[in-house]
């Protein structure tokens, strides 16, 4: 008879579990003695996760965006899964999985219902959309027994918007993933060899990694860089990521600049971002909103200073003037100035680059982040 405590981890799409829980699910099952079941929408990455982590998976289709009829079907399917599995805890992440999983777990009276907020959409939304998002997050929290904001900024927003009056627990210094410093090491031979093929000597290279959408500040970034490149031709911008033209399209002017400027290289999604970071001089990440952006941590681990906006997560990773620069959101001119200073004030840039990896190592090393989560699991599951 299996007497292990059963945990169900849920996310809307399998990519979230595959990315944020890489190695963690197997540790929870093999080292901590839990029985782990992963639930997400179907897809190849769910099968990949099952094989790599050695955990059972259950496919439940879930839409990322509001879709009342499909959401009701997903809720019904989650109810059936939770009733069959009878877990001690359901731990959800991502908005739609959080809402549906916490509702289903509450209906099924799962003892521990934990949701992690990795980012909030409503602070940058307006009108009816914001009201709907606030309501759904309040409903998620009402159904949960425990709530973990990924960082202090997310906790402050949950409090200031009165999303919940329940206790909010930030684990460690924040972040749900942590960084594997042995893997994200710019001195690794395979990284150095690949980076040498990407690097352009004598050219100051900025890099952006993420979805190429409006909310990531790509319109401002491309506009600022285009002007910078006219002033300083020995500059380059690498854009790593895919567009979402239907959900959050870029402006026609931005699209024209990306295709027309020889110094802008849009290279698409990369399975391994380390060589691209190692071949660059600074990260430019002017996003409008984040929970806790892992790319800023990864860039720091690879020794890059960062230009980031004054938003949740980014301001908790970057200390202004120490390991990077913080600018206002949606401020194209401030972004241009920061990028110009990165090139013109090389001594300051070198100092920020030298501080980047030690700051990341001291706060977000992966084993520390995971220990904080495992300790929290023991606390809430074995009261």
């Amino acid at each position: 008879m299996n007497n292990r405590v059963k945990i169900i981890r849920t996310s809307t799409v399998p990519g979230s579990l595959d990315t944020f829980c890489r190695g963690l699910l197997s540790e929870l099952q093999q080292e901590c003695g839990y029985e782990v079941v992963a639930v997400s929408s179907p897809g190849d990455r769910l099968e990949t996760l099952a094989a790599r982590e050695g955990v059972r998976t259950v496919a439940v289709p879930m839409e990322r965006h509001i879709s009342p009829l499909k959401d009701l079907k997903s809720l019904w399917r989650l109810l059936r899964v939770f009733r069959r599995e009878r877990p001690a805890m359901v731990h959800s992440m991502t908005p739609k999985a959080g809402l549906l999983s916490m509702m289903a777990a509450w209906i099924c009276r799962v003892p521990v219902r934990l949701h992690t907020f990795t980012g909030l959409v409503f602070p940058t939304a307006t009108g009816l959309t914001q009201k709907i998002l606030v309501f759904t997050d309040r409903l998620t929290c009402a159904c949960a027994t425990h709530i973990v904001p990924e960082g202090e900024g997310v906790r402050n927003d949950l409090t200031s918007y009165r999303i919940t009056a329940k206790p909010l627990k930030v684990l460690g210094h924040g972040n749900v993933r942590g960084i594997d410093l042995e893997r994200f090491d710019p001195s690794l031979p395979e990284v150095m060899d690949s980076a040498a093929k990407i690097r352009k000597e004598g050219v100051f290279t900025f890099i952006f990694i993420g979805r190429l959408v409006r909310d990531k500040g790509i319109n401002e970034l491309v506009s600022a860089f285009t002007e910078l490149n006219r002033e300083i031709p020995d500059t380059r911008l690498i854009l790593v990521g895919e567009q979402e033209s239907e959900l959050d399209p870029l402006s026609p002017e931005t699209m024209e600049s990306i295709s027309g400027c020889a110094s802008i290289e849009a290279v698409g999604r990369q399975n391994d971002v380390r060589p691209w970071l190692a071949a660059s001089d600074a990260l430019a990440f002017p996003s409008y909103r984040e929970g806790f952006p892992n790319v800023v941590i990864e860039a720091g681990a690879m020794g890059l200073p960062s230009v980031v906006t004054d938003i949740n997560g980014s301001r908790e990773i970057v200390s202004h003037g120490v390991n990077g620069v913080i600018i206002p959101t949606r401020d194209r001119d401030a972004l241009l100035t920061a990028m110009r200073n990165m090139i013109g004030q090389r001594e300051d840039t070198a100092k920020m680059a030298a501080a980047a990896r030690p700051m990341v190592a001291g706060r977000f090393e992966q084993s520390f982040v995971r220990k904080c989560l495992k300790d929290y699991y023991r606390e809430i599951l074995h009261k």
Side-chain angles (χ1 to χ4, degrees):
M1 183 177 178
N2 185 359
N3 293 318
R4 293 190 296 173
V5 175
K6 183 182 292 186
I7 296 171
I8 293 181
R9 290 291 305 254
T10 71
S11 70
T12 310
V13 296
S16 298
L17 286 176
D18 187 31
T19 299
F20 291 103
C21 298
R22 181 179 293 269
L24 173 63
L25 301 185
S26 62
E27 288 182 15
L28 291 173
Q29 187 155 278
Q30 296 173 15
E31 298 177 15
C32 301
Y34 298 114
E35 180 183 354
V36 179
V37 181
V39 176
S40 188
S41 295
D44 292 342
R45 294 186 73 175
L46 190 61
E47 297 175 9
T48 298
L49 179 141
R52 186 187 66 239
E53 305 290 327
V55 300
R56 284 195 298 119
T57 59
V58 179
V60 174
M62 286 181 268
E63 295 290 319
R64 288 175 59 186
H65 298 278
I66 297 171
S67 180
L69 183 58
K70 291 182 179 179
D71 291 345
L72 283 173
K73 290 181 179 178
S74 298
L75 178 63
W76 174 248
R77 288 173 173 141
L78 287 170
L79 284 169
R80 293 179 62 186
V81 172
F82 294 170
R83 283 171 176 159
R84 180 179 71 244
E85 297 290 343
R86 300 176 64 85
M89 177 174 73
V90 172
H91 181 182
S92 59
M93 59 188 298
T94 69
K96 182 60 72 66
L99 174 64
L100 298 178
S101 296
M102 291 299 97
M103 289 175 64
W106 177 78
I107 293 170
C108 294
R109 293 297 185 265
V110 175
V112 180
R113 306 181 294 274
L114 168 62
H115 179 66
T116 295
F117 281 99
T118 55
L120 300 172
V121 181
F122 65 78
T124 56
T126 58
L128 179 61
T129 300
Q130 185 183 64
K131 291 179 180 179
I132 293 172
L133 292 170
V134 166
F135 172 76
T136 56
D137 281 345
R138 284 175 175 166
L139 183 55
T140 299
C141 291
C143 293
T145 58
H146 299 79
I147 303 160
V148 171
E150 190 174 12
E152 294 294 339
V154 176
R155 174 161 65 179
N156 292 339
D157 281 343
L158 290 172
T159 300
S160 62
Y161 281 85
R162 299 181 181 178
I163 302 300
T164 182
K166 292 179 179 178
L168 303 173
K169 174 78 170 181
V170 176
L171 305 182
H173 298 284
N175 191 242
V176 299
R177 183 177 174 185
I179 184 77
D180 182 349
L181 291 172
E182 292 184 1
R183 183 170 186 270
F184 280 85
D185 182 345
S187 67
L188 290 174
E190 65 268 24
V191 173
M192 295 175 67
D193 292 344
S194 297
K197 302 173 184 177
I198 302 169
R199 186 180 299 108
K200 290 185 178 180
E201 296 300 333
V203 177
F204 194 100
T205 299
F206 292 96
I207 187 170
F208 169 89
I209 300 175
R211 292 177 297 117
L212 304 185
V213 295
R214 180 186 61 86
D215 273 6
K216 294 292 186 180
I218 299 300
N219 290 328
E220 292 86 350
L221 175 58
V222 170
S223 176
F225 176 79
T226 302
E227 181 172 339
L228 178 71
N229 185 244
R230 285 196 294 266
E231 298 174 9
I232 311 172
D234 288 335
T235 51
R236 181 169 64 148
L237 173 62
I238 298 176
L239 301 174
V240 180
E242 297 175 336
Q243 296 182 37
E244 291 187 355
S245 301
E246 295 182 1
L247 297 176
D248 191 7
L250 299 173
S251 70
E253 294 80 9
T254 298
M255 295 298 298
E256 184 177 346
S257 294
I258 292 175
S259 61
C261 180
S263 296
I264 299 178
E265 300 177 22
V267 299
R269 184 178 182 274
Q270 299 293 318
N271 292 327
D272 189 355
V273 299
R274 295 175 300 164
W276 298 93
L277 288 167
S280 303
D281 297 291
L283 175 75
F285 194 74
S287 182
Y288 297 172
R289 60 177 177 84
E290 295 290 329
F292 218 98
N294 285 288
V295 65
V296 182
I297 297 176
E298 292 170 352
M302 297 296 286
L304 267 64
S306 297
V307 178
V308 301
T309 40
D310 190 11
I311 58 172
N312 290 342
S314 290
R315 70 170 74 97
E316 296 165 60
I317 303 167
V318 173
S319 295
H320 185 75
V322 179
N323 62 332
V325 177
I326 301 176
I327 62 170
T329 58
R330 306 171 192 254
D331 193 329
R332 178 259 190 197
D333 292 339
L335 177 58
L336 173 59
T337 299
M339 295 170 74
R340 188 186 287 130
N341 290 342
M342 280 277 181
I343 299 169
Q345 300 171 5
R346 294 297 181 95
E347 186 175 334
D348 291 340
T349 301
K351 289 179 180 178
M352 289 188 288
R357 184 174 171 87
M359 287 192 70
V360 166
R363 300 178 184 180
F364 307 114
E365 196 276 324
Q366 192 170 80
S367 63
F368 168 75
V369 172
R370 290 184 176 179
K371 181 180 183 301
C372 292
L373 177 66
K374 294 170 186 175
D375 289 347
Y376 188 58
Y377 274 10
R378 282 192 290 270
E379 176 187 335
I380 62 180
L381 282 167
H382 303 291
K383 285 186 176 179

